[in-house]
Amino acid sequence: MSSGAVGPEFVVVDGETMIPVPRSAIAPPATHFGQVHRWEGEGHTPLFFSCAMHTPVFISLVDDWFAAWREDMIADFEKDPPHVGSAEAHWKGLGTPGLESLIHMEPILASHLLLPYALDLCQLLGAQGSSPIRYCMMSVDGMVISPSAVRMDGVAVRVG
């Protein structure tokens, strides 16, 4: 990750080759599951991808999403409290802090809390608009959030 990064940096690993991928060329799938199924089939080899960025960049890109998600979760907690011992219960016990506060207070908790929503977050981090993509993120299998950097790793397929 370069020190002057202005956005997420993506790398796809194809065999032993690391391929830098511009943000405009990678995104999670739209909700067209037939297309996703075709991409998962023969001729579309799963590739490892990694996305890294400085935490302030991550916060600027996903803070609005997190704020809306936070409000929904608080409302859901009124009807259905989180399971004891879950990341959600721990977050609620902290007073449901906002994204920046959460990352600085409990970065590991932020990682666990957001991992199930990682593909939603990738919608904000990857290609914007209707530009054709070359790689489709199929899953995010790991997420590490620290006060200085955020990294997500997963599987993508080449589609273009």
Side-chain angles (χ1 to χ4, degrees):
M1 188 169 66
S2 66
S3 60
V6 295
E9 295 180 9
F10 292 91
V11 174
V12 170
V13 180
D14 189 353
E16 294 183 16
T17 306
M18 292 181 54
I19 305 164
V21 177
R23 180 179 180 197
S24 62
I26 188 166
T31 55
H32 186 302
F33 295 107
Q35 181 66 42
V36 171
H37 183 68
R38 186 173 68 83
W39 287 340
E40 289 176 335
E42 191 174 322
H44 291 89
T45 305
L47 305 168
F48 173 79
F49 83 88
S50 184
C51 171
M53 71 209 81
H54 293 285
T55 301
V57 171
F58 177 77
I59 291 169
S60 71
L61 292 171
V62 305
D63 197 42
D64 289 343
W65 175 91
F66 186 88
W69 176 83
R70 179 179 175 267
E71 291 301 316
D72 289 345
M73 291 299 288
I74 291 170
D76 286 349
F77 291 160
E78 296 289 323
K79 296 177 252 173
D80 186 22
H83 297 295
V84 175
S86 68
E88 291 83 1
H90 187 67
W91 177 60
K92 182 180 180 195
L94 294 173
T96 60
L99 182 59
E100 188 169 4
S101 296
L102 176 62
I103 289 171
H104 290 288
M105 290 169 43
E106 296 273 352
I108 294 172
L109 175 61
S111 301
H112 289 286
L113 193 63
L114 295 178
L115 182 60
Y117 306 96
L119 278 177
D120 294 328
L121 298 175
C122 286
Q123 291 284 0
L124 304 169
L125 304 176
Q128 302 294 303
S130 60
S131 63
I133 61 170
R134 285 186 301 192
Y135 297 95
C136 180
M137 296 177 230
M138 302 304 284
S139 67
V140 177
D141 304 316
M143 175 184 245
V144 177
I145 299 175
S146 79
S148 60
V150 175
R151 179 176 166 168
M152 291 188 281
D153 300 315
V155 175
V157 294
R158 184 175 175 93
V159 297

